[in-house]
Amino acid sequence: MTHTDSVFMGMDLLCQVNSHAHRTEEMDVERLLVRRGQPFSLALQCHTTLSPKHKLAMILHLGKEGEVVVKVLDARAGRDKWWFRQQGAQSEVLLTIHSPADAPVGLYSVTVLLLSPDGHILEKTTPETFYLLFNPWCKADSVYLPDEELLEEYILNENGLLYQGSWDQISSLPWNFGQFEQDVVDICFEILDNSPAALTNPEMDTANRADPVYVSRTITAMVNANDDLGVVSGRWDGKYDDGVPPTRWTGSVPILRRWSEAGAQRVRYGQCWVFSGVACTILRCLGIPTRPVTNYSSAHDTDGNLNVDYLYDEQLESVSEGRKDMIWNYHCWVESWMDREDLPKGYDGWQALDPTPQERSDGVYCCGPCPVKAVRDGDVGMKYDAAFVFSEVNADLVTWIVYPDGQRSQVSLNQNTVGQNISTKSVYGDYREDITKHYKYPEGSVKEREVYEKAGRRVTQPNGAPGQLELKIKHAQAVLGTDFDVIVEVHNVGGEDTPAQLTVTSNAVTYNSLHRGECHRKTASLTVPAQKAHKEVLRLRYEHYGACVSEHNLIRVTALLQVSGQPEVVLQEVNIQLSMPQLHVKVVGDAVVSRKLIAHISFTNPLPITLRGGVFTVEGAGLTAAREIQAPDDIGPGQEVKVKLSFKPTRAGLRKLMVDFDADRIRDVKGIATLIVRNK
């Protein structure tokens, strides 16, 4: 057919209509993004009305090089087939395309062909592209979640809270997921395209992208940069000069953009909440319902014995070096909602996925998806990594004293420490929902004991009967930059006066139990009268802890009590979270799309020393891309610094502006402003 008598003029992807119907309008209305298992429409524009003797056909290409070809049938077909129907409307033809609910997600190109009565190709349209995503609104999709309020949070909410702190002092960190920000969807598929499986066998990888189990497991491997062209490089030693300190990030989008713009170069640096925040962004963007989760007192059990062993010498120096068993103050991962057709019945629903590189799984640093129900019921053989997740929430903490001759004595056993207050943000607002019951039965219950036996956990017994001396450690609310008291109480519950040696140390630690330095140490010889208590006060001054405190602002106080002339040893430990100041953020102006607003940000130095190199980082989904503002000068003790920035909101709705402040001696100071942006 010559150009002059060509039939096709072009194709309108009807982006606005489709994106509204498929709940992707926040992502983009200039491009076509649709969800699988749900019809979408294209308008074929023609120079003239189509002749009845001509037929239309449709071909899809999928994959980075278009290596997978899909023929779209021109008549109603089964649920597992692509098909389309057409409806003429003067010089246009409305094409309604039906995708299977188990089609691979990815970037497709679509071409419409004009066929002669005998099936020859007379003409074809220029290929147009569209993204196909998972569809949790579609009953037949394996990520189907039949609750609109949950979908509003776990797919559509671009802001959230990540929980930090400690089990008895929980704090929340606002996080900008930004899954609908410009180009994020392209970066998510770029991450999948850079996975080892995609690079070695792209055709098989493309076909496997129909399965959320495969996709989510790939994402947990690709969010960390340990084995591959992954996104974030983890670092926990406090040396971040060649990158961004993990505490400075306020959201996922700058990390994803930085990775993509540098040609799949790892972004330095992240820690567990950063890995979980980035994974949550990617999975929500792809259409898999996902929520971030924090486990308090989270065990990292390397040898699989369901014990975390802490070893000290008689001077309370840790001799656990070389052993990697440890308890993290908290640990963040994500849960995604999906069917598990690869497992026996009963394991659908929430699956734990942990992108922080801790242990290898099938030779790769990834973890999950692991059915949360398998963890609760002790089914530690279930795919993937159920034994590791089970130990994170259930391991025993066993503390030993190692003597000079190499002998060791068990001084404490705690079966209730690990796996507390497992938390996620509520779907009903900015407050915490406790989901511990999804992971474990109540401590001490018959069901819990049955689960332990099923998981092959040996029940560890404490050494002998309880002694007559008991230890307690108390402290008031401790504020970073101030001096505060820690009170160690020794209670004698026996009938005789008892002499003992008390050693108390305080150490600056990271949230995952790495020691950064000793702050203070005190030893005392004491005799505790029968049925009485002795109090020892440890005064912790800023000059003791200020130079070595980590960016997580944690002090671990350990007390060791040795009864004179007897083998009895008592040990107690507490983690003290130093509370932080907050930034004051105020936005001035009418919050309307494309109209200028001004944010006023202020910070008062709470420390008794001058802060240098202050930098504010600001970002907000639908408000502004990430920006940095240097503090104008050094900030003296008690001095206030003020900065301001202007920005124009790009999208309407409830929006949050996240701000972080970092300086040489204080990090992770946060502030937030919430505003409702209206369309013009």
Side-chain angles (χ1 to χ4, degrees):
M1 191 174 278
T2 63
H3 180 69
T4 50
D5 55 358
S6 69
V7 174
F8 296 157
M9 280 172 61
M11 194 150 56
D12 182 352
L13 300 180
L14 304 176
C15 294
Q16 234 153 347
V17 174
N18 286 316
S19 63
H20 180 72
H22 287 251
R23 298 171 176 85
T24 58
E25 57 198 335
E26 285 283 321
M27 274 185 185
D28 209 324
V29 287
E30 305 297 316
R31 296 187 298 168
L32 183 56
L33 296 113
V34 292
R35 300 187 185 278
R36 65 187 193 174
Q38 181 177 339
F40 61 97
S41 301
L42 310 174
L44 182 65
Q45 295 153 333
C46 305
H47 290 288
T48 178
T49 308
L50 276 186
S51 161
K53 64 181 185 182
H54 288 146
K55 275 182 70 174
L56 294 180
M58 189 180 291
I59 299 287
L60 303 177
H61 286 85
L62 170 64
K64 212 172 178 181
E65 308 297 329
E67 53 267 16
V68 178
V69 181
V70 181
K71 186 172 190 311
V72 185
L73 304 174
D74 61 356
R76 188 180 182 90
R79 279 184 165 186
D80 60 339
K81 298 279 191 292
W82 286 84
W83 62 279
F84 75 96
R85 57 188 165 85
Q86 64 188 72
Q87 193 176 349
Q90 298 188 59
S91 61
E92 286 190 300
V93 181
L94 186 69
L95 304 172
T96 303
I97 302 166
H98 296 256
S99 63
D102 62 352
V105 298
L107 183 64
Y108 286 74
S109 76
V110 55
T111 308
V112 177
L113 313 175
L114 184 67
L115 303 180
S116 66
D118 57 356
H120 285 97
I121 299 172
L122 302 175
E123 191 180 347
K124 55 185 174 183
T125 59
T126 306
E128 297 280 2
T129 60
F130 66 92
Y131 276 115
L132 189 74
L133 306 174
F134 291 104
N135 191 353
W137 284 271
C138 170
K139 261 186 183 167
D141 197 314
S142 51
V143 299
Y144 174 60
L145 180 57
D147 187 320
E148 192 61 44
E149 281 180 311
L150 298 190
L151 290 166
E152 196 67 40
E153 180 71 30
Y154 300 142
I155 290 287
L156 300 177
N157 196 350
E158 289 185 88
N159 299 300
L161 298 174
L162 308 179
Y163 287 96
Q164 298 181 321
S166 56
W167 71 269
D168 57 347
Q169 202 175 328
I170 293 171
S171 60
S172 62
L173 171 73
W175 191 262
N176 176 35
F177 297 115
Q179 66 268 28
F180 303 143
E181 289 283 82
Q182 197 171 2
D183 304 328
V184 167
V185 67
D186 305 274
I187 298 169
C188 292
F189 282 106
E190 188 185 346
I191 290 166
L192 288 173
D193 290 342
N194 276 283
S195 75
L199 296 172
T200 52
N201 192 339
E203 204 164 327
M204 185 186 284
D205 172 72
T206 297
N208 284 335
R209 291 187 194 176
D211 180 9
V213 173
Y214 176 85
V215 170
S216 62
R217 186 160 170 80
T218 302
I219 293 302
T220 74
M222 288 299 294
V223 166
N224 71 71
N226 279 44
D227 306 289
D228 39 46
L229 298 169
V231 180
V232 182
S233 187
R235 191 158 195 166
W236 283 266
D237 62 2
K239 296 170 183 163
Y240 311 124
D241 289 349
D242 59 341
V244 175
T247 51
R248 188 175 295 175
W249 304 113
T250 50
S252 310
V253 179
I255 296 170
L256 293 168
R257 285 186 177 148
R258 191 176 287 209
W259 174 85
S260 177
E261 286 161 7
Q265 291 291 309
R266 64 187 59 190
V267 177
R268 301 180 172 97
Y269 289 104
Q271 290 171 5
C272 72
W273 69 92
V274 179
F275 292 113
S276 71
V278 171
C280 188
T281 295
I282 297 167
L283 292 162
R284 283 186 184 180
C285 182
L286 295 175
I288 302 175
T290 302
R291 62 188 185 184
V293 168
T294 300
N295 176 39
Y296 288 94
S297 300
S298 189
H300 182 165
D301 168 31
T302 54
D303 53 12
N305 68 349
L306 291 174
N307 282 348
V308 169
D309 297 299
Y310 275 9
L311 280 66
Y312 293 100
D313 65 15
E314 292 174 283
Q315 278 69 53
L316 267 190
E317 298 286 348
S318 172
V319 289
S320 301
E321 298 308 323
R323 296 180 61 86
K324 281 167 61 188
D325 274 15
M326 54 179 64
I327 291 181
W328 296 25
N329 238 32
Y330 63 88
H331 181 46
C332 302
W333 56 76
V334 297
E335 288 177 0
S336 290
W337 182 273
M338 65 189 75
D339 290 346
R340 290 302 300 270
E341 288 156 25
D342 57 326
L343 296 180
K345 253 190 170 15
Y347 295 104
D348 298 343
W350 289 117
Q351 313 288 319
L353 291 146
D354 189 350
T356 300
Q358 293 188 86
E359 297 293 320
R360 290 186 187 275
S361 171
D362 296 339
V364 177
Y365 279 104
C366 66
C367 179
C370 165
V372 173
K373 186 178 182 298
V375 177
R376 190 190 64 186
D377 292 343
D379 298 325
V380 293
M382 283 298 147
K383 292 191 301 188
Y384 290 88
D385 312 303
F388 185 76
V389 181
F390 183 87
S391 74
E392 286 187 302
V393 299
N394 282 308
D396 285 348
L397 171 59
V398 187
T399 309
W400 307 82
I401 295 293
V402 180
Y403 297 103
D405 62 1
Q407 292 289 311
R408 64 185 195 175
S409 165
Q410 181 183 313
V411 292
S412 74
L413 165 72
N414 199 322
Q415 295 179 316
N416 304 327
T417 296
V418 168
Q420 300 191 63
N421 295 345
I422 302 173
S423 304
T424 190
K425 176 190 170 298
S426 167
V427 297
Y428 303 111
D430 286 347
Y431 50 88
R432 188 179 75 88
E433 180 185 345
D434 193 295
I435 55 171
T436 311
K437 65 180 184 293
H438 296 181
Y439 281 86
K440 54 206 290 194
Y441 290 101
E443 297 281 0
S445 65
V446 175
K447 194 75 182 159
E448 184 201 38
R449 283 198 295 278
E450 285 173 8
V451 165
Y452 287 170
E453 279 179 34
K454 186 177 175 184
R457 166 176 168 163
R458 70 175 195 275
V459 179
T460 325
Q461 294 301 330
N463 281 2
Q468 65 179 32
L469 294 187
E470 294 176 352
L471 263 180
K472 287 183 181 165
I473 304 175
K474 297 179 176 178
H475 64 92
Q477 173 66 62
V479 178
L480 181 69
T482 64
D483 304 343
F484 60 94
D485 290 337
V486 176
I487 299 162
V488 180
E489 293 182 356
V490 184
H491 291 263
N492 185 347
V493 295
E496 295 176 14
D497 295 359
T498 306
Q501 185 80 12
L502 177 67
T503 305
V504 185
T505 65
S506 62
N507 289 280
V509 293
T510 63
Y511 82 99
N512 61 333
S513 288
L514 299 178
H515 280 240
R516 288 280 176 83
E518 186 171 286
C519 308
H520 198 46
R521 169 183 287 266
K522 186 172 187 177
T523 56
S525 296
L526 42 105
T527 298
V528 190
Q531 298 296 316
K532 293 278 173 62
H534 173 89
K535 289 185 180 179
E536 201 68 40
V537 178
L538 187 71
R539 181 81 170 157
L540 274 177
R541 302 184 186 282
Y542 180 73
E543 64 201 57
H544 294 149
Y545 69 80
C548 60
V549 71
S550 75
E551 65 270 29
H552 309 119
N553 303 307
L554 269 176
I555 305 290
R556 177 170 293 166
V557 176
T558 310
L560 178 72
L561 188 67
Q562 295 170 295
V563 179
S564 303
Q566 291 180 30
E568 187 187 332
V569 179
V570 188
L571 184 136
Q572 271 297 344
E573 198 162 70
V574 297
N575 292 315
I576 300 173
Q577 180 78 52
L578 304 174
S579 68
M580 293 282 285
Q582 282 197 317
L583 299 175
H584 186 66
V585 185
K586 187 179 180 186
V587 177
V588 177
D590 288 334
V592 175
V593 170
S594 300
R595 193 173 293 171
K596 189 164 97 170
L597 293 172
I598 295 175
H600 296 266
I601 303 160
S602 61
F603 165 73
T604 302
N605 178 8
L607 303 185
I609 55 168
T610 296
L611 295 174
R612 294 179 172 83
V615 60
F616 295 88
T617 307
V618 185
E619 72 167 304
L623 295 176
T624 177
R627 291 155 71 177
E628 283 192 356
I629 307 163
Q630 304 297 323
D633 296 297
D634 293 349
I635 310 161
Q639 188 181 333
E640 184 183 47
V641 60
K642 293 181 178 179
V643 296
K644 63 181 180 179
L645 86 153
S646 62
F647 61 94
K648 292 178 181 177
T650 54
R651 289 185 284 135
L654 186 76
R655 301 287 164 197
K656 296 192 176 188
L657 190 71
M658 319 282 194
V659 188
D660 169 82
F661 176 76
D662 274 7
D664 60 340
R665 293 289 290 271
I666 193 169
R667 281 184 174 152
D668 201 19
V669 186
K670 302 288 193 239
I672 187 168
T674 304
L675 45 156
I676 297 169
V677 178
R678 292 175 171 81
N679 281 311
K680 286 181 182 175

